Amino acid sequence: MEEVSGPATQYVDALDEPGIEALKMVAALGSRNLAGRVAIVTGGGRGIGRLVAEALAGAGAGVAVTARSEDQLAEAVASITSKGGTAIALPGDVSDPDSVTDVVHQVERRLGPVDLLINNAGISGPVGPVWEVDAGEWWRTFGVNLQGVFLFAHAVLPGMVARRAGRIINVSSNAGAFRWPLASAYAVSKAAVIKFTENVARETKNYGVKVFAIHPGLLPIGMTTAALEGTFPSESPEGRLSSWARRRIDEGYGATPESAVELVLLLGSGEADALSGCYLTVHDDLWAIMAQAQEVRAQDLYTLQVRRPARIPASDPVPLPS
């Protein structure tokens, strides 16, 4: 069976045990100095979003966490401030333009100009064959996974471009780089996030802004929790996806929360700016990739492209903008 995403269609409301354990390890990742930086983390009240917010604050950044659940946000901020960090909670809906604009304005007023945006909020959407899923739920997935990424980028980019500085990290998934049947809304929306990242990176390359798409790995927290802990009929779409998630993790193909956080910290610190526009994963050897940054740029590596046999040349008459 080809790779597919976890079946959860709703957010997991509480930070689970693996997440709590990861919080203890995240403290060790705060060696990078982000003092004076201002960061926004969407979906920052739970799962990997909360861990990223904790780590950014631990590295000295002022962090704004936003999500729909006020209780989760309050817990995240309380955890950060109890350790001496700076954080504010801003409830909002990433798919609502007015809500996004208000969040960004509040961050700028209370913390300062935004240096770092982590577009983490996401849902997995409906599970099942395309002809059976609910059309409204299919499109709603794009409202969160893609429109939310666009709206926050659209809101912070004018300031970043004017200051000739800023970084945006869009959390995508291998679902967007490979075929993931039975989770088409999730897969296609995440593919769009990767391609959006490539375009924005190219548009902003002369303005000092760096943009990345990342795959944080198959994690034992957040949305994956429902797939790992749920009980579904074995032959149902949900059951097939649940079995796949358990099997992948059991076979060692999952990722640890701290490795995902470390990837965000590294990109957010500026150490990998030469890879702006790339789709990077927790499984990549980032140091090796950075050592080959010139080749990566010259050959458009780590991007979504159509693969053609060498004997069949492309005949597209439209030149790509440089």
Side-chain angles (χ1 to χ4, degrees):
M1 181 177 176
E2 294 172 299
E3 288 193 336
V4 288
S5 77
T9 57
Q10 300 177 348
Y11 293 100
V12 176
D13 291 331
L15 195 68
D16 43 36
E17 289 186 10
I20 293 172
E21 287 302 311
L23 280 175
K24 300 175 183 177
M25 291 179 279
V26 160
L29 301 176
S31 59
R32 292 185 173 85
N33 185 5
L34 297 178
R37 308 281 181 85
V38 173
I40 297 176
V41 181
T42 71
R46 65 174 184 91
I48 193 63
R50 175 172 167 179
L51 299 180
V52 165
E54 291 264 359
L56 293 173
V63 181
V65 288
T66 183
R68 293 182 298 179
S69 172
E70 295 188 30
D71 291 344
Q72 291 176 6
L73 293 179
E75 291 176 4
V77 168
S79 177
I80 291 172
T81 56
S82 70
K83 300 179 181 67
T86 300
I88 59 174
L90 297 171
D93 181 350
V94 299
S95 65
D96 181 343
D98 291 336
S99 176
V100 171
T101 298
D102 181 62
V103 166
V104 172
H105 285 170
Q106 287 196 58
V107 173
E108 294 171 338
R109 179 173 57 84
R110 297 172 61 181
L111 296 178
V114 178
D115 302 293
L116 178 61
L117 168 64
I118 313 297
N119 274 317
N120 165 73
I123 57 176
S124 57
V127 175
V130 167
W131 60 92
E132 293 181 2
V133 299
D134 181 86
E137 288 300 303
W138 201 90
W139 277 113
R140 189 175 77 86
T141 309
F142 283 75
V144 177
N145 293 359
L146 179 60
Q147 186 176 3
V149 168
F150 165 78
L151 289 175
F152 265 97
H154 185 265
V156 303
L157 275 170
M160 290 182 174
V161 167
R163 295 188 302 275
R164 297 297 198 272
R167 296 181 182 88
I168 298 174
I169 300 173
N170 298 321
V171 177
S172 185
S173 168
N174 267 352
F178 301 94
R179 291 183 295 271
W180 286 40
L182 304 181
S184 59
Y186 184 75
V188 177
S189 63
K190 290 300 187 178
V193 168
I194 298 173
K195 189 53 67 175
F196 176 73
T197 298
E198 294 176 23
N199 279 272
V200 177
R202 185 60 62 92
E203 291 174 7
T204 60
K205 72 173 186 175
N206 295 325
Y207 297 96
V209 179
K210 310 301 179 183
V211 192
F212 310 89
I214 67 168
H215 169 51
L218 183 62
L219 301 170
I221 61 173
M223 288 189 293
T224 311
T225 306
L228 298 176
E229 298 180 356
T231 301
F232 311 96
S234 60
E235 294 306 312
S236 69
E238 292 83 359
R240 293 170 64 191
L241 300 184
S242 178
S243 295
W244 172 84
R246 292 192 187 98
R247 185 172 66 252
R248 293 293 287 181
I249 288 180
D250 289 344
E251 293 173 350
Y253 292 105
T256 61
E258 59 269 26
S259 65
V261 172
E262 174 66 6
L263 175 60
V264 173
L265 280 178
L266 191 154
L267 297 177
S269 71
E271 294 181 57
D273 279 356
L275 302 180
S276 180
C278 290
Y279 168 66
L280 304 165
T281 86
V282 292
H283 307 296
D284 291 328
D285 183 343
L286 220 58
W287 300 108
I289 296 172
M290 286 190 286
Q292 301 172 348
Q294 186 173 355
E295 180 183 357
V296 169
R297 291 192 297 270
Q299 297 189 28
D300 266 348
L301 303 179
Y302 300 94
T303 61
L304 289 187
Q305 301 181 51
V306 175
R307 299 171 62 189
R308 294 184 176 92
R311 65 181 182 276
I312 303 177
S315 58
D316 188 345
V318 182
L320 292 175
S322 60

